[in-house]
Amino acid sequence: MSRIYDNYLENMEQSQFDSPIHELKEYFDLPLETVIGHDGAEYQNYIEFPEFIEYSDEDIQQVIDIFDIPLNFDFNDFDYDVTEDNNSDTHEYILTLPQGVQDLFEYSDDKKKIIFPSEDDVREAIFDLFKEYDVPSGTLYEQESNGFPESMQLYYQSEEEDLENLANEIYADIQSTLDSIRQLENQYYTVDDAIQKKAMILAAFSTVESYVIYLAENFVPSEFKTLDIKDTQLRNFLDQKIQSHFHEKHGREIIRATFAPNFPKEKNIPFRDVRNSLAHNISIGEIENEKLIFPPKTMKLNEKPVSYKISNIFKALGEYVENYSGNIDKIIEMLQS
């Protein structure tokens, strides 16, 4: 056996091929190369396969096996350039060969004799069959081939890598969101006007809401966002439907469960009643001794005003966002286990 074949058998036990082309690359032990421009930018990957004319008999047999080509043919047990009697056994054998090879046989003496084709003619017919089965020959470029192995594409990322990259982005946005909440809290203490103070509190809620919407947007795969839907009305309907899901907790949960089921469910944002009251009417409520005090909701006797400590609101919103760090840590641990 050849060195290439020995190396192929050794690697095959350790590899999982995502396509016949991937397996063929490993069989020939070919490097994965990259097209690099004059500016040093990387454009695409490619594989330099041997031309068919360079194939040995062993290579041809391996290609037949790898691409599952229905060709019952043994190069070592074929009589090239010979003339034999046209008997039933020979005739049945010829019928097992591809039509392109069958057409190479010639007949003489009133079809009593069969003339076998030359080795060159047989190889050429087989190579034509290889082309029908999209066996690569010469340079195979990533962007010019539908069969280029996905795992070998220049910017390929596995699902695990995609999720880990998303986790890193979420980490960065957690910090950005926390910084915004702290800035709003600091601004709260620098202003005297009650409306302005309440506006800072409401802005902190909006910052957290923007964060959870951002998470939901990242759950939707990029290829789904760029679907080529030619019907404009259908495209607009789908866009509006998705956007409406982003802005309500129930809708975000549908998106999470559909596209990111391993990510924990969204919890309620704390002090939601404070947010709703301020969003409905920012003039309502008083600020006294660093407490936000709302009047009783009803006119019932003995019902007291409801008060909230301002520092607790900012603290709870920050902790709510920070809790996502632990969730992401769990996902990364799961991927690495």
Side-chain angles (χ1 to χ4, degrees), residues 18-129:
D18 55 17
S19 71
I21 292 177
H22 184 178
E23 186 170 353
L24 187 65
K25 172 191 174 296
E26 295 302 313
Y27 167 70
F28 283 118
D29 194 22
L30 302 173
L32 182 65
E33 302 183 74
T34 303
V35 176
I36 301 177
H38 296 297
D39 56 356
E42 297 181 337
Y43 289 97
Q44 63 174 319
N45 285 338
Y46 68 94
I47 305 170
E48 198 72 53
F49 285 96
E51 301 289 346
F52 292 149
I53 196 172
E54 301 171 30
Y55 278 23
S56 67
D57 293 351
E58 184 178 71
D59 296 337
I60 292 175
Q61 188 59 55
Q62 283 304 309
V63 170
I64 291 171
D65 294 341
I66 290 173
F67 284 80
D68 197 22
I69 299 173
L71 177 57
N72 180 24
F73 191 85
D74 186 350
F75 278 90
N76 297 320
D77 190 30
F78 189 88
D79 297 321
Y80 299 103
D81 293 316
V82 299
T83 301
E84 294 187 2
D85 292 335
N86 187 6
N87 54 45
S88 58
D89 290 341
T90 303
H91 182 69
E92 290 178 4
Y93 168 70
I94 293 174
L95 292 178
T96 66
L97 302 174
Q99 189 61 50
V101 178
Q102 291 184 38
D103 294 341
L104 298 175
F105 288 83
E106 297 180 357
Y107 299 87
S108 66
D109 196 11
D110 261 348
K111 293 192 175 182
K112 293 179 181 179
K113 298 290 185 179
I114 298 178
I115 303 172
F116 280 58
S118 68
E119 182 174 358
D120 288 343
D121 288 341
V122 170
R123 290 173 70 92
E124 186 174 344
I126 290 176
F127 295 155
D128 287 339
L129 186 63

Side-chain angles (χ1 to χ4, degrees), residues 79-186:
D79 297 321
Y80 299 103
D81 293 316
V82 299
T83 301
E84 294 187 2
D85 292 335
N86 187 6
N87 54 45
S88 58
D89 290 341
T90 303
H91 182 69
E92 290 178 4
Y93 168 70
I94 293 174
L95 292 178
T96 66
L97 302 174
Q99 189 61 50
V101 178
Q102 291 184 38
D103 294 341
L104 298 175
F105 288 83
E106 297 180 357
Y107 299 87
S108 66
D109 196 11
D110 261 348
K111 293 192 175 182
K112 293 179 181 179
K113 298 290 185 179
I114 298 178
I115 303 172
F116 280 58
S118 68
E119 182 174 358
D120 288 343
D121 288 341
V122 170
R123 290 173 70 92
E124 186 174 344
I126 290 176
F127 295 155
D128 287 339
L129 186 63
F130 284 1
K131 294 175 184 177
E132 292 180 20
Y133 279 79
D134 295 323
V135 178
S137 173
T139 307
L140 184 71
Y141 288 102
E142 169 187 331
Q143 297 176 8
E144 298 173 8
S145 168
N146 292 329
F148 200 93
E150 182 180 11
S151 62
M152 296 182 183
Q153 294 175 12
L154 181 59
Y155 296 111
Y156 167 77
Q157 288 186 324
S158 65
E159 291 183 7
E160 290 80 5
E161 289 171 325
D162 283 340
L163 189 53
E164 193 158 345
N165 284 340
L166 173 59
N168 291 332
E169 292 176 9
I170 292 173
Y171 275 134
D173 207 67
I174 284 175
Q175 191 57 52
S176 175
T177 303
L178 289 173
D179 290 343
S180 296
I181 293 173
R182 293 189 187 103
Q183 289 175 7
L184 288 167
E185 185 175 13
N186 290 336

Side-chain angles (χ1 to χ4, degrees), residues 3-17:
R3 179 192 61 79
I4 288 178
Y5 185 63
D6 289 338
N7 182 68
Y8 164 70
L9 289 179
E10 181 179 344
N11 291 337
M12 188 172 64
E13 297 179 356
Q14 305 171 5
S15 303
Q16 289 186 340
F17 306 119

Side-chain angles (χ1 to χ4, degrees), residues 233-247:
Q233 288 185 323
L234 178 58
R235 173 81 267 178
N236 292 338
F237 171 79
L238 291 175
D239 287 342
Q240 292 171 7
K241 193 70 175 176
I242 293 174
Q243 287 299 321
S244 67
H245 274 40
F246 288 147
H247 293 275

